[in-house]
Amino acid sequence: MKHRSSSEQHHGKRPRVPAAAATTSPQDRMEDKPPSNPRELTQNPLKKIWMPCKNGLPEKHISQRKICMTNCPTLIVTVGLPARGKTYISKKLTRYLNWIGVPTREFNVGQYRRECVKIYKSFEFFRPDNEEGLKIRRQCASAALNDVRQYLAEEGGQVAVFDATNTTRERRETIIQFAEQNGFKVFFVESVCEDPDVIQENIVQVKLGSPDYTNCNTEEAVEDFMKRIKCYENSYETLDEVLDRDLSYIKIMDVGQRYLVNRVLDHIQSRIVYYLMNIHITPRSIYLCRHGESELNVNGRIGGDSGLTPRGKEFGKKLSQFILEQGISDLKVWTSQMKRTIQTAEALNVPYEQWKVLNEIDAGVCEEMMYEEIQDHYPLEFALRDQDKYRYRYPKGESYEDLVQRLEPVIMELERQENVLVVCHQAVMRCLLAYFLDKTAEELPYLKCPLHTVLKLTPVAYGCKVESISLNVDAVDTHRERPENVEVSRMSEEALLTVPAHQ
Amino acid sequence: MMLDNDEFMLETSPRELTQNPLRKIWMPCKNGHIAQRRVCMTNCPTLIVTVGLPARGKTYISKKLTRYLNWIGVPTKEFNVGQYRRECLKIYKSFEFFRPDNEEGLKIRRQCALAALNDVRQYLSVEGGQVAVFDATNTTRERRGTIIKFAEQNGFKVFFVESVCEDPDVIAQNIVQVKLDSPDYIHCNTEEVIEDFMKRIKCYESSYQPLDEVLDRDLSYIKIMDVGCRYLVNRVLDHIQSRIVYYLMNIHITPRSIYLCRHGESDLNIKGRIGGDSGLSARGKEFAKSLRKFIQDQNIKDLKVWTSQMKRTIQTAECLGVPYEQWKSLNEIDAGVCEEMMYEEIQEHYPLEFALRDQDKYRYRYPKGESYEDLVQRLEPVIMELERQENILVVCHQAVMRCLLAYFLDKTADELPYLKCPLHTVLKLTPMAYGCKVESVYLGVDSVNTQRDRPERM
């Protein structure tokens, strides 16, 4: 049995690191403690984070940089007439926040209503003089708020998105009181739009397919929905610059042409505003692919900065053809600053931009090693990685979690852009894909992103359509599935069971 | 845009790549200019135009924005029309100059605006500038119309930044902070200044046409109301405008101080080795104790403490006995293959690298490592969050601290890598008027000197 150095000793379960709540001033706390020896530090073996310890075990939890700097959870409340994009915004925002590491969930009141009123008959349900309807809708809103409380106060959620019309000041007041009672911050997101084309398109895109209109044809659905909108119009009280001056909100006008932003209170609200101001609904496609097969790929080695193999170059040519055939207008091409992606883009004969942040995950001391060598030299590291591939940081390297933080500006710019081809790397592509397809941290590191395959992502309705196109050029497989045995005590063979074949 | 240039079509094989030895960027060999990621994604330069009555923070915003854009690598320059007026009209007599019925005054002011616009054109079209900030009241639609035409003729994008504020306290504070010391009021006492300046503001008020939601709906602008309480943003056209809006929405004017310092002396410091992740030396621990005392004596309200994720900064913060946050982006510059080497060893094993570094320390990237330029990009979210925060202590590293300091003190890329950030010294930065006051406090604990100045002979 190989002797393990003390630094490799594994101390029990991976500790969770919740955010520290600052309730007293630093001065007060300083005086409480005697000016004695500072606590010893130990480095968490998975994330390579230094934390204070006693007897080798981690002590009080220090907040490492968590995105959400609020001490209290945030309740985002949508406001707007039907077909103004509230659910689109809610889902997108939820997806983004979860991806950057802020536990977020959306609560769509319409869904609660559908569960309550099994069969939707017509717009009459929404008539302002329909007492029965009003009662049910109020109950549904309350039920949803109750689940919000559960999520934020008990289940560790950080942000809840309360997706409903919330078009009256009275309803919003109810929500504000609810939030105050529970210690949640409130941030309103209102969408105002009078462009009939946009509303029409909206209805076609997402309402026709709604469970409410399963048995209707297009004309019937559109007609009914327009009447539904009318039911809300009379009582609609838009967020007002004067009356609502003490609230925190963003009012989005005409699909992002204009924004009114009032009283942004903290970091997370600032990030939400920035994100909402960068998204758009212009149809476009995002193409993701890896560099062509590289020399190190063929040898089963990770990382490094090698060039393309002949098959990799072949892929470059096929990619160029593919792009031409797609007939894309104004395609932007992005690469990392590693040779293999740039070589691939060079084959396209179009201008491209190099982004350092698109570089492959840094494997630190394991750079250019084969998995077999990692198992040989760093069996503990290899096991830890299999235990939690998302959070695992290579010694002197990065984790997928680090990658996501690094890639956030790429995602922000991708949201601003229209047609883009991103030529990147396996781990990077997994992170980007997870954002577009709303994958969890657990799924992300195992997403399949084979060489010589282009993924075409097209936003559609509330999500993303994905087409996988293999360009028919052979390549090694670089995908390593999670093996069954992830224990530190496992045998080499068990660890290497899932390593793909290589030279 | 797909190139259907004949020359490109003829090339059947992709161009060979070579790696630029300084920046370690892969580029095609035949004098190709590939765009690596430049912050400013606009093809044409941008003209930022301030709008607002006097004492609304236009110059404050102009200078701050210029400083930020230059720091992130976008060549930016501000053009303050008031300055042109002072050069033209050697002596300022009184507010009467600004009276709307003062024909002579109007003529001079118009000439100054044109002179400034001319310099803007020179900067953006000839000198390689990317953004110009045209700082003046620009309170009439007519004046703004002139500027828009000028921009159109020259192929510049226009983005307006209007500051609207009616809070008398804010305006009074503004006057005290920056007008009292203006060259216009050298020979006046405080009361005289305030009285004259208030009359000056009045001269503009009747003709003030704020940006209008309807009339100006086709313009790109941000209207900042009540010092950041509320914003109206219209037609953001591109990446740089989006970044500008984000920045403007994150800055504030609440008084506060930013404390910057390095970790205490580390074991590798003593050995003259760079990088690594070593712990504090005995003297380093001494420093941490002194830092604790210093912070206590400063008696700072709600101090936040940030560290990197490297042991030495965390050990230092641990000594303070208060909660702190670890930021990976505050980690020291990655020296790649040179990690944990002494400068002598680098000279021995990588003499070319060592020489290249001295030739252009800002852009030089260590093999498999980073450059100062990379560091700045990595630290941008830190700066953004520092702008949002109030009292804060950042315990970091030499190269990182140089980058942060360069932002606050408006240092060039050339000066940045040589800024003096010695161990065991705290820099207290307090925003003041248009800049930053800096106090350097040495905490009296000995340490090695890790500063390597620019060598004379290359």
Side-chain angles (χ1 to χ4, degrees):
Chain A
M1 182 102 130
K2 220 165 156 181
H3 173 71
R4 293 206 191 93
S5 65
S6 56
S7 64
E8 283 215 309
Q9 276 180 9
H10 185 53
H11 298 291
K13 295 205 188 84
R14 177 176 61 80
R16 268 172 305 140
V17 184
T23 43
T24 53
S25 81
Q27 260 59 30
D28 298 337
R29 255 155 318 157
M30 271 175 163
E31 275 150 56
D32 287 350
K33 277 189 175 338
S36 59
N37 298 323
R39 298 177 290 190
E40 284 298 305
L41 294 180
T42 185
Q43 193 179 46
N44 164 279
L46 182 85
K47 302 181 82 166
K48 311 301 188 289
I49 302 282
W50 288 102
M51 345 178 59
C53 67
K54 248 197 192 133
N55 307 319
L57 286 168
E59 213 197 33
K60 203 170 86 174
H61 301 298
I62 303 293
S63 68
Q64 72 193 79
R65 177 61 181 167
K66 286 244 172 292
I67 295 298
C68 182
M69 287 315 298
T70 52
N71 296 326
C72 56
T74 303
L75 176 57
I76 296 176
V77 181
T78 63
V79 179
L81 293 173
R84 262 55 177 183
K86 298 183 301 299
T87 301
Y88 175 82
I89 287 168
S90 299
K91 286 182 179 287
K92 214 169 153 71
L93 190 53
T94 299
R95 178 162 58 89
Y96 168 71
L97 290 173
N98 277 311
W99 186 76
I100 61 171
V102 181
T104 305
R105 193 186 285 176
E106 31 136 10
F107 298 81
N108 177 282
V109 175
Q111 224 137 284
Y112 283 75
R113 188 259 306 158
R114 274 184 278 274
E115 252 143 75
C116 186
V117 184
K118 295 296 172 196
I119 299 169
Y120 174 76
K121 294 208 181 85
S122 80
F123 77 96
E124 307 260 358
F125 178 80
F126 292 97
R127 284 180 56 156
D129 56 359
N130 181 346
E131 285 297 335
E132 180 69 18
L134 284 169
K135 185 170 157 215
I136 291 172
R137 287 155 72 195
R138 222 172 281 131
Q139 281 170 349
C140 289
S142 297
L145 282 180
N146 207 38
D147 287 351
V148 162
R149 177 194 1 245
Q150 170 105 346
Y151 178 66
L152 295 181
E154 291 166 35
E155 291 174 24
Q158 194 64 48
V159 177
V161 183
F162 187 70
D163 177 19
T165 47
N166 300 315
T167 38
T168 61
R169 196 156 278 113
E170 184 209 355
R171 168 57 57 87
R172 297 196 289 267
E173 193 46 50
T174 308
I175 298 169
I176 291 168
Q177 269 163 34
F178 160 84
E180 256 164 49
Q181 282 159 8
N182 289 283
F184 306 151
K185 281 184 184 168
V186 184
F187 188 77
F188 292 95
V189 177
E190 180 173 24
S191 173
V192 175
C193 178
E194 290 316 317
D195 184 338
D197 293 329
V198 173
I199 296 164
Q200 177 81 6
E201 182 59 33
N202 208 322
I203 296 175
V204 167
Q205 277 245 351
V206 297
K207 304 299 179 189
L208 294 186
S210 158
D212 290 345
Y213 296 111
T214 300
N215 300 316
C216 303
N217 66 44
T218 306
E219 272 131 37
E220 284 165 356
V222 173
E223 196 190 322
D224 185 88
F225 204 84
M226 290 307 220
K227 290 186 182 147
R228 203 153 117 178
I229 296 175
K230 274 246 162 306
C231 294
Y232 285 88
E233 276 178 359
N234 288 338
S235 59
Y236 183 17
E237 293 169 293
T238 186
L239 286 170
D240 184 78
E241 265 190 64
V242 177
L243 293 173
D244 299 305
R245 65 183 167 284
D246 288 334
L247 302 182
S248 295
Y249 66 84
I250 177 171
K251 187 192 281 245
I252 304 169
M253 296 169 274
D254 296 321
V255 205
Q257 196 160 268
R258 197 159 72 255
Y259 304 90
L260 184 67
V261 180
N262 199 62
R263 292 193 187 272
V264 169
L265 289 181
D266 58 23
H267 177 88
I268 196 73
Q269 291 182 13
S270 160
R271 294 288 286 276
I272 288 166
V273 164
Y274 185 41
Y275 181 72
L276 292 177
M277 287 176 56
N278 280 316
I279 62 180
H280 67 76
I281 58 167
T282 309
R284 51 81 172 252
S285 288
I286 295 167
Y287 298 81
L288 300 181
C289 73
R290 293 166 65 187
H291 52 83
E293 184 191 67
S294 73
E295 302 286 353
L296 284 175
N297 284 147
V298 161
N299 292 318
R301 293 182 178 282
I302 65 172
D305 194 17
S306 59
L308 302 180
T309 61
R311 296 196 298 195
K313 290 175 183 167
E314 194 49 44
F315 168 70
K317 291 194 190 126
K318 289 272 170 72
L319 185 63
S320 175
Q321 228 172 308
F322 171 76
I323 292 299
L324 279 168
E325 280 159 18
Q326 287 281 303
I328 312 146
S329 81
D330 294 324
L331 180 73
K332 291 244 166 83
V333 179
W334 296 352
T335 70
S336 69
Q337 281 186 355
M338 295 182 141
K339 188 174 186 184
R340 51 200 187 277
T341 56
I342 298 165
Q343 266 186 298
T344 307
E346 273 288 315
L348 306 178
N349 265 326
V350 299
Y352 55 87
E353 260 197 274
Q354 298 184 18
W355 291 64
K356 185 176 194 274
V357 296
L358 282 174
N359 280 5
E360 182 57 313
I361 192 171
D362 184 356
V365 301
C366 299
E367 276 285 317
E368 300 197 44
M369 283 186 159
M370 290 189 282
Y371 288 122
E372 293 86 341
E373 288 167 350
I374 301 177
Q375 169 60 27
D376 205 31
H377 294 105
Y378 303 100
L380 171 64
E381 295 294 329
F382 206 42
L384 287 174
R385 186 156 209 255
D386 285 337
Q387 285 175 23
D388 191 343
K389 198 174 174 190
Y390 183 73
R391 284 165 203 84
Y392 171 81
R393 185 184 283 169
Y394 281 104
K396 303 193 182 179
E398 294 176 302
S399 62
Y400 272 93
E401 192 172 28
D402 295 328
L403 249 197
V404 161
Q405 183 176 28
R406 159 146 83 79
L407 289 168
E408 200 266 349
V410 175
I411 287 297
M412 197 63 87
E413 190 56 25
L414 276 173
E415 285 295 345
R416 290 195 56 79
Q417 291 291 338
E418 293 183 20
N419 293 316
V420 188
L421 163 67
V422 185
V423 184
C424 53
H425 305 267
Q426 184 166 246
V428 168
M429 188 163 159
R430 284 171 170 156
C431 292
L432 300 178
L433 196 58
Y435 166 74
F436 289 108
L437 303 186
D438 203 17
K439 298 296 182 185
T440 64
E442 278 58 49
E443 298 169 302
L444 186 161
Y446 296 101
L447 293 175
K448 283 193 166 56
C449 295
L451 288 165
H452 301 181
T453 305
V454 181
L455 291 185
K456 177 178 179 179
L457 304 162
T458 311
V460 84
Y462 293 136
C464 232
K465 178 175 87 168
V466 55
E467 296 165 65
S468 173
I469 303 126
S470 163
L471 296 196
N472 289 319
V473 178
D474 281 340
V476 294
D477 177 13
T478 58
H479 187 91
R480 182 177 164 269
E481 282 294 352
R482 187 175 197 260
E484 275 203 41
N485 191 345
V486 299
E487 294 307 315
V488 170
S489 55
R490 65 190 179 177
M491 309 295 284
S492 275
E493 301 79 56
E494 293 175 290
L496 298 174
L497 215 54
T498 55
V499 172
H502 60 84
Q503 274 173 23
Chain B
M1 196 178 62
M2 302 282 273
L3 293 176
D4 49 18
N5 183 315
D6 287 341
E7 276 177 36
F8 271 112
M9 293 311 249
L10 283 175
E11 290 211 25
T12 45
S13 34
R15 297 178 288 189
E16 285 297 307
L17 294 179
T18 187
Q19 194 180 47
N20 164 282
L22 181 85
R23 307 176 82 168
K24 311 302 188 290
I25 302 278
W26 288 101
M27 349 178 57
C29 288
K30 279 198 183 123
N31 307 318
H33 280 293
I34 303 295
Q36 76 192 75
R37 176 65 181 167
R38 285 237 174 288
V39 179
C40 181
M41 287 316 298
T42 53
N43 297 327
C44 55
T46 303
L47 175 57
I48 297 176
V49 180
T50 65
V51 179
L53 293 172
R56 262 57 176 183
K58 297 183 302 298
T59 301
Y60 174 82
I61 288 169
S62 299
K63 286 183 180 288
K64 214 169 152 72
L65 190 54
T66 300
R67 178 161 57 89
Y68 168 71
L69 290 174
N70 277 311
W71 186 75
I72 62 171
V74 180
T76 306
K77 198 171 181 190
E78 32 137 8
F79 299 82
N80 179 282
V81 174
Q83 226 137 285
Y84 284 74
R85 186 260 306 157
R86 275 184 276 275
E87 252 143 76
C88 184
L89 196 60
K90 295 297 169 196
I91 298 167
Y92 173 77
K93 293 210 184 82
S94 80
F95 77 95
E96 307 261 359
F97 176 79
F98 291 98
R99 286 179 54 156
D101 56 0
N102 181 345
E103 285 297 336
E104 180 67 18
L106 284 169
K107 184 168 157 218
I108 291 173
R109 288 154 70 194
R110 219 172 282 132
Q111 280 170 349
C112 288
L114 289 172
L117 283 179
N118 206 37
D119 286 352
V120 162
R121 175 194 3 244
Q122 172 93 355
Y123 178 66
L124 295 181
S125 301
V126 179
E127 293 173 20
Q130 193 66 46
V131 177
V133 184
F134 187 70
D135 176 20
T137 48
N138 300 315
T139 39
T140 62
R141 196 157 279 114
E142 186 211 353
R143 169 56 58 84
R144 297 195 291 267
T146 307
I147 298 169
I148 292 167
K149 277 201 198 85
F150 159 84
E152 259 164 45
Q153 283 160 4
N154 289 283
F156 306 151
K157 280 184 184 170
V158 184
F159 189 76
F160 292 96
V161 177
E162 180 174 27
S163 173
V164 174
C165 179
E166 289 316 316
D167 185 337
D169 293 328
V170 173
I171 296 165
Q173 179 63 226
N174 207 321
I175 296 176
V176 166
Q177 277 242 349
V178 298
K179 305 298 178 188
L180 294 186
D181 293 324
S182 160
D184 291 345
Y185 296 111
I186 289 187
H187 302 295
C188 302
N189 67 45
T190 306
E191 272 130 37
E192 288 167 343
V193 175
I194 294 176
E195 198 189 319
D196 185 87
F197 204 84
M198 290 306 220
K199 290 186 182 148
R200 202 153 118 179
I201 296 175
K202 275 246 162 307
C203 294
Y204 286 87
E205 275 177 1
S206 45
S207 61
Y208 182 19
Q209 294 166 303
L211 288 171
D212 184 79
E213 266 192 65
V214 177
L215 294 173
D216 299 305
R217 65 184 169 282
D218 289 333
L219 302 183
S220 295
Y221 66 84
I222 178 171
K223 188 192 280 254
I224 304 169
M225 296 167 272
D226 296 319
V227 205
C229 200
R230 195 159 72 255
Y231 304 91
L232 185 67
V233 179
N234 199 62
R235 290 192 189 269
V236 168
L237 290 182
D238 57 26
H239 177 89
I240 195 73
Q241 289 181 16
S242 159
R243 293 288 287 277
I244 288 166
V245 164
Y246 185 41
Y247 181 72
L248 292 177
M249 287 176 55
N250 280 318
I251 61 182
H252 67 77
I253 57 167
T254 309
R256 50 81 173 252
S257 287
I258 297 167
Y259 297 82
L260 301 180
C261 72
R262 291 166 65 186
H263 52 83
E265 183 190 67
S266 74
D267 289 325
L268 282 177
N269 283 146
I270 292 178
K271 298 189 175 124
R273 295 182 176 282
I274 65 173
D277 193 17
S278 57
L280 299 181
S281 65
R283 298 195 297 196
K285 291 175 182 167
E286 221 19 71
F287 164 71
K289 290 193 190 132
S290 301
L291 183 62
R292 179 198 165 95
K293 175 139 205 320
F294 171 75
I295 293 297
Q296 271 171 324
D297 293 342
Q298 287 281 304
N299 205 20
I300 310 148
K301 166 174 105 80
D302 293 325
L303 180 73
K304 292 240 169 84
V305 179
W306 293 354
T307 70
S308 70
Q309 282 185 355
M310 295 182 142
K311 189 175 186 183
R312 51 199 187 277
T313 56
I314 297 165
Q315 264 185 299
T316 308
E318 269 290 313
C319 226
L320 304 179
V322 300
Y324 54 88
E325 260 197 274
Q326 298 185 19
W327 291 66
K328 186 174 191 279
S329 10
L330 283 172
N331 279 5
E332 183 56 315
I333 192 171
D334 183 357
V337 301
C338 299
E339 276 286 316
E340 300 197 42
M341 282 188 160
M342 291 188 283
Y343 288 123
E344 293 84 353
E345 288 168 347
I346 303 177
Q347 170 61 40
E348 201 191 308
H349 293 106
Y350 303 99
L352 172 64
E353 295 294 329
F354 207 46
L356 285 171
R357 186 156 209 254
D358 284 338
Q359 282 175 25
D360 190 343
K361 197 175 175 190
Y362 183 74
R363 284 164 204 83
Y364 170 80
R365 185 184 281 170
Y366 281 104
K368 303 193 182 181
E370 296 176 303
S371 62
Y372 271 94
E373 192 171 28
D374 294 329
L375 249 197
V376 161
Q377 183 175 30
R378 160 148 80 82
L379 289 168
E380 200 266 349
V382 176
I383 287 295
M384 197 62 87
E385 190 56 24
L386 276 171
E387 284 295 347
R388 291 196 56 79
Q389 292 291 338
E390 293 183 20
N391 291 318
I392 182 147
L393 164 65
V394 184
V395 183
C396 55
H397 305 265
Q398 184 167 249
V400 168
M401 188 162 159
R402 284 170 170 157
C403 292
L404 299 178
L405 196 59
Y407 166 75
F408 288 109
L409 301 186
D410 204 17
K411 298 295 183 186
T412 64
D414 218 51
E415 298 167 300
L416 186 161
Y418 296 100
L419 292 176
K420 284 189 167 45
C421 296
L423 288 164
H424 300 181
T425 306
V426 181
L427 291 187
K428 177 179 178 178
L429 303 163
T430 311
M432 172 144 290
Y434 294 136
C436 233
K437 177 174 89 167
V438 53
E439 295 164 67
S440 173
V441 184
Y442 170 59
L443 295 194
V445 177
D446 279 341
S447 71
V448 294
N449 176 9
T450 58
Q451 176 89 7
R452 193 177 156 268
D453 284 320
R454 197 196 306 257
E456 286 193 20
R457 188 175 55 84
M458 292 299 182

